[in-house]
Amino acid sequence: MCQSRAHSDLPLFSLLREFIVSSLCSLVLCALLLHVSFPLHSFVPTVSLAARIATALGVETNPVSACDQARNKRITRQVMADCGLPVPRFSSVRTEEDLLSACELVGFPAILKPVFGLASMGVSRVNDKDAALTAYRKISDSIATSSESLWAQGTELVLEEFYDGDEFDIDVLLSDGTVVYSKVSDNWACWEPWFQETGTNCPSMYPVDRQAELVKLAIESTLALGFRAGAFHVECKFTSRGPRLIEVNARMGGVSVRDANLRAWGVDLVEEHTMTALKIPIRPMVARRPMAFFAETAINAPFSGTISSGTWLDEVLSLPNVHKVNYFKQEGDLVQGPEDGVPDWLAEVIVISTESTADAVKSIRAVVRDLDVPVQAKRPGTERGWFFPDHAYPFADVVDLKA
């Protein structure tokens, strides 16, 4: 006589259950990943939450500890130091007394930022103690949990050594602890003392040997934190002392990152990440040579005020190589300029060249360099042009600025 067995003992049932739960988790993760427009804070903190849910359901995923360590910028530094990887001088800051002690340890110039920040929120360069105190008070006022749920994770700050050099993004895909994709994009110089992104190009134009060094550090840092699978957006600088990590984001990069990798290398980060969430091994087919050359600029508000037009970039769509325009602020919206804090992104322009990255960079400069940004000033007399990083890589390398 045949005896029945509990469904949970059947291998097929167990596999089906795990597949269904994995699928549900991956749908949640993909929904988060696909939300690459604003506000970024709606999905970044949920990476650790998703890992906790998957772990509670018994689904193999990246360790909760890895997600937590990457989310906290101070702990990231400590993990890297413990693994023998290069780190800046850094110190935790919770009070003004902590800040003064940190200034003695770290020195100047330095970066003051929240350990749980994102998208350069609250990040400021400080050059002396007075500037550090001013920045501390301003940042502390802006990260109250009453004004932004993001800061419920904590309002600790970290003061760390300022890195010189050019900035880069390295997009990494892992499959069961193996690196299957890693490509470098150039980040353009920021409007200091704030560090809001101004633009990017992909593929990178940096020397190949230096790109290899950046990729090596990005991979070592991601693995040191304990990650095993998925898409990761790693930010680094190449300094006078070599490559140095800014942070590892336990997710795909936002805004144009997916498009840049897909256009240049034929790799869809969302698709690949989804497969890792479903426990499908990934080996993306990476183009031997760039398929296209991508450049994007995120236009920062030049001063605080009100947007006076909702179509001010429409006319550039007819210009050579212009692929897309995205508006982040609409007519009538209030926007913040650098005099009041981290400048808001107003819009982005994307160009795609079939010739070279240098051609894409030159094209986007020709399109947006002298744009009139339609902001009615909050304070008359504060009007000025928007920041464009002509002085820095890659523009200083490929554009004749006298032309």
Side-chain angles (χ1 to χ4, degrees):
M1 182 175 178
C2 185
Q3 292 183 338
S4 64
R5 295 195 302 173
H7 288 301
S8 59
D9 293 334
L10 294 174
L12 179 60
F13 181 85
S14 298
L15 288 172
L16 181 61
R17 173 186 174 276
E18 186 156 328
F19 179 78
I20 291 171
V21 174
S22 296
S23 298
L24 290 173
C25 287
S26 74
L27 287 174
V28 173
L29 292 171
C30 289
L32 299 174
L33 283 170
L34 287 168
H35 186 61
V36 295
S37 57
F38 300 96
L40 285 171
H41 63 262
S42 65
F43 72 91
V44 169
T46 57
V47 171
S48 293
L49 175 61
R52 283 174 165 79
I53 293 171
T55 300
L57 291 171
V59 177
E60 185 179 351
T61 183
N62 283 312
V64 171
S65 59
C67 298
D68 287 347
Q69 288 172 166
R71 187 75 191 94
N72 186 308
K73 295 175 174 59
R74 175 182 55 78
I75 294 178
T76 296
R77 300 291 189 228
Q78 190 59 59
V79 170
M80 291 186 62
D82 292 344
C83 292
L85 296 171
V87 296
R89 296 185 299 275
F90 67 96
S91 184
S92 173
V93 174
R94 298 179 185 274
T95 65
E96 288 194 6
E97 290 72 22
D98 288 346
L99 177 64
L100 294 176
S101 298
C103 289
E104 295 297 328
L105 172 67
V106 174
F108 296 102
I111 298 293
L112 183 65
K113 59 186 177 182
V115 300
F116 290 112
L118 58 94
S120 302
M121 293 171 66
V123 180
S124 184
R125 173 175 171 164
V126 293
N127 294 322
D128 54 45
K129 284 186 179 180
D130 289 341
L133 283 167
T134 299
Y136 172 82
R137 291 162 185 163
K138 194 166 191 173
I139 296 170
S140 296
D141 289 343
S142 70
I143 61 175
T145 55
S146 58
S147 61
E148 173 56 74
S149 60
L150 167 69
W151 307 119
Q153 298 173 92
T155 56
E156 176 190 356
L157 306 182
V158 63
L159 186 75
E160 63 182 36
E161 177 186 0
F162 173 78
Y163 283 148
D164 62 1
D166 301 313
E167 186 173 333
F168 304 87
D169 291 335
I170 302 92
D171 292 296
V172 175
L173 287 170
L174 296 180
S175 182
D176 194 23
T178 299
V179 180
V180 296
Y181 177 80
S182 56
K183 290 295 181 182
V184 181
S185 300
D186 299 330
N187 272 353
W188 303 351
C190 299
W191 197 353
E192 295 183 15
W194 308 113
F195 289 87
Q196 187 74 297
E197 289 83 350
T198 59
T200 186
N201 56 263
C202 179
S204 172
M205 294 191 296
Y206 223 52
V208 174
D209 59 337
R210 292 194 170 189
Q211 288 189 53
E213 292 184 62
L214 289 161
V215 167
K216 181 175 182 291
L217 178 63
I219 291 170
E220 290 175 340
S221 302
T222 305
L223 294 176
L225 289 167
F227 291 111
R228 299 282 301 166
F232 302 89
H233 187 67
V234 186
E235 300 172 28
C236 294
K237 272 191 165 184
F238 203 100
T239 74
S240 55
R241 293 175 289 169
R244 294 292 186 270
L245 178 79
I246 298 174
E247 63 180 348
V248 175
N249 295 285
R251 56 171 174 81
M252 183 186 75
V255 194
S256 64
V257 168
R258 175 177 179 259
D259 289 344
N261 285 270
L262 186 57
R263 290 279 179 173
W265 300 110
V267 174
D268 189 329
L269 299 178
V270 170
E271 182 179 290
E272 300 297 332
H273 181 90
T274 303
M275 289 194 287
T276 65
L278 291 170
K279 296 188 175 60
I280 300 173
I282 59 171
R283 291 295 185 272
M285 297 292 291
V286 185
R288 291 179 179 273
R289 294 185 178 86
M291 300 165 57
F293 304 90
F294 183 100
E296 177 263 0
T297 186
I299 298 173
N300 288 205
F303 46 86
S304 297
T306 305
I307 296 288
S308 58
S309 171
T311 59
W312 56 286
L313 285 171
D314 286 5
E315 62 183 26
V316 309
L317 286 168
S318 61
L319 298 178
N321 291 343
V322 175
H323 173 68
K324 185 188 295 186
V325 166
N326 290 319
Y327 292 98
F328 300 145
K329 299 293 184 180
Q330 305 301 321
E331 183 176 0
D333 285 352
L334 298 176
V335 298
Q336 177 172 273
E339 71 272 25
D340 291 318
V342 180
D344 286 330
W345 283 328
L346 306 184
E348 70 169 345
V349 177
I350 294 172
V351 305
I352 297 176
S353 169
T354 58
E355 295 184 17
S356 65
T357 305
D359 182 60
V361 167
K362 291 178 181 178
S363 294
I364 203 164
R365 180 181 183 275
V367 170
V368 303
R369 174 66 182 85
D370 297 315
L371 276 174
D372 289 326
V373 180
V375 178
Q376 182 176 354
K378 176 181 176 180
R379 305 178 190 86
T382 60
E383 297 90 344
R384 54 177 155 179
W386 75 286
F387 174 83
F388 193 86
D390 263 344
H391 66 287
Y393 173 84
F395 296 96
D397 291 359
V398 302
V399 176
D400 181 359
L401 301 182
K402 296 179 181 179

